[in-house]
Amino acid sequence: GQQLNQSPQSMFIQEGEDVSMNCTSSSIFNTWLWYKQDPGEGPVLLIALYKAGELTSNGRLTAQFGITRKDSFLNISASIPSDVGIYFCAGRKTSYDKVIFGPGTSLSVIP
Amino acid sequence: NAGVMQNPRHLVRRRGQEARLRCSPMKGHSHVYWYRQLPEEGLKFMVYLQKENIIDESGMPKERFSAEFPKEGPSILRIQQVVRGDSAAYFCASSPGGSGYGYTFGSGTRLTVV
């Protein structure tokens, strides 16, 4: 069954605003991943986190691996129209385990 | 440096036919993963393969579905006697190893069963 929860399910924001979304799990993960999917395409890896408490940035994106190892968040600063898409968190419980995906957060940016 | 290549991009099959989906991993990647995505949903893990070995098939339906990753050639996901519920996007991903790496995904194959 579904093991990851993402919130919010969808967001509508004005261009230039900051965005925050998060992901929680009932289990401990040792790796957290954030992906973005554009319509008709496969997911693209944005940020990978490997250590509890780790804070990692990729341009305007910042993600953190929660201290409890059961959550992660993704922030996008100064959103632009091309940020539109579905953002998936994903995680794995051990280094050799499969990656499990959350249900996604749909982001819409109003110019 | 080509990414993960999946073909075909779109596949239409009548109920009862067979569907064959192909995935060529990135150069240097020996681990392949298949996921299924229904409309408006996340990606559901199906199977994890290395060359000539199935490592984890816990997400594969027990019947009609099979996967292989031969020593030479692409990985194949095979669906026999397709039904309407098999209609979905099937994504393949690859990684250089099974330990801690994020996956690189292909663009997917959209299967429609009519």
Side-chain angles (χ1 to χ4, degrees):
Chain A
Q2 186 68 45
Q3 293 179 278
L4 293 179
N5 297 298
Q6 285 188 249
S7 63
Q9 190 174 7
S10 62
M11 315 177 68
F12 292 82
I13 60 167
Q14 291 286 141
E15 183 177 356
E17 287 184 352
D18 296 344
V19 172
S20 185
M21 59 188 80
N22 71 347
C23 184
T24 58
S25 167
S26 55
S27 305
I28 289 174
F29 285 91
N30 81 345
T31 302
W32 284 97
L33 307 162
W34 285 92
Y35 283 85
K36 178 180 182 246
Q37 185 178 31
D38 292 327
E41 295 298 328
V44 173
L45 182 64
L46 300 173
I47 292 179
L49 302 156
Y50 299 106
K51 200 167 142 184
E54 180 181 354
L55 186 72
T56 297
S57 293
N58 177 7
R60 293 178 297 107
L61 278 61
T62 301
Q64 184 159 29
F65 191 139
I67 293 289
T68 65
R69 297 168 64 194
K70 290 186 176 182
D71 62 340
S72 177
F73 73 76
L74 175 71
N75 284 346
I76 305 172
S77 62
S79 58
I80 59 177
S82 62
D83 290 334
V84 167
I86 302 177
Y87 290 80
F88 291 103
C89 68
R92 50 163 34 117
K93 295 179 184 176
T94 68
S95 296
Y96 291 91
D97 201 2
K98 58 187 174 287
V99 170
I100 298 167
F101 281 77
T105 292
S106 175
L107 178 63
S108 299
V109 178
I110 304 164
Chain B
N1 183 20
V4 177
M5 304 300 292
Q6 289 189 249
N7 67 80
R9 285 295 303 267
H10 300 275
L11 182 62
V12 179
R13 284 287 177 265
R14 294 188 184 280
R15 278 179 295 172
Q17 290 185 320
E18 179 179 287
R20 280 181 164 244
L21 288 62
R22 293 175 191 78
C23 170
S24 296
M26 282 185 71
K27 189 175 179 182
H29 287 193
S30 58
H31 297 247
V32 165
Y33 314 82
W34 285 92
Y35 286 78
R36 175 164 61 177
Q37 186 177 36
L38 295 171
E40 312 296 324
E41 292 190 12
L43 287 87
K44 304 294 185 196
F45 170 79
M46 298 182 76
V47 62
Y48 163 23
L49 309 107
Q50 291 181 38
K51 286 284 187 183
E52 301 183 278
N53 287 307
I54 296 175
I55 306 302
D56 183 347
E57 57 181 346
S58 57
M60 287 280 269
K62 295 286 182 252
E63 297 176 348
R64 303 187 298 109
F65 284 71
S66 62
E68 62 175 7
F69 188 16
K71 189 177 179 182
E72 301 291 337
S75 175
I76 305 286
L77 179 68
R78 184 178 174 213
I79 312 172
Q80 295 177 290
Q81 300 175 327
V82 296
V83 301
R84 288 235 170 98
D86 297 333
S87 295
Y90 292 83
F91 290 98
C92 167
S94 71
S95 72
S99 174
Y101 294 97
Y103 303 163
T104 301
F105 278 86
S107 296
T109 293
R110 274 138 195 90
L111 172 66
T112 302
V113 179
V114 297

